[in-house]
Amino acid sequence: MSARRFSKPEIGRTYLYYICVAGAYHNRETCPARTHHKAEGVEARVWDMVSGILKDPERLRAGLTHMIE
């Protein structure tokens, strides 16, 4: 995923979103996603996942142990 920004200076708005670069360039074999995803939603979902892991020490420990092995 790649971050993108689109500004509309005439109305004072900036839109932030993510897009799969491969999908954006019509390479469906690499990535079938051609949609733009609003940054607010993506970042909220990512933070929910990360903070959930950080709040569960056993899950975090198990994941770290697995990565080290």
Side-chain angles (χ1 to χ4, degrees), residues 13-31:
R13 282 293 303 233
T14 298
Y15 300 93
L16 305 171
Y17 59 94
Y18 291 94
I19 186 167
C20 175
V21 177
Y25 293 106
H26 311 291
N27 187 351
R28 286 198 170 270
E29 292 176 17
T30 305
C31 179

Side-chain angles (χ1 to χ4, degrees), residues 2-63:
S2 178
R4 296 286 189 246
R5 174 178 44 188
F6 176 74
S7 296
K8 288 191 124 189
E10 63 274 7
I11 62 170
R13 282 293 303 233
T14 298
Y15 300 93
L16 305 171
Y17 59 94
Y18 291 94
I19 186 167
C20 175
V21 177
Y25 293 106
H26 311 291
N27 187 351
R28 286 198 170 270
E29 292 176 17
T30 305
C31 179
R34 287 191 178 175
T35 358
H36 294 68
H37 303 278
K38 291 181 180 179
E40 288 177 2
V42 172
E43 291 168 358
R45 288 192 306 264
V46 169
W47 176 245
D48 285 345
M49 185 182 75
V50 170
S51 65
I53 292 169
L54 294 175
K55 291 174 185 173
D56 185 350
E58 281 306 311
R59 183 177 173 194
L60 180 59
R61 187 177 294 113

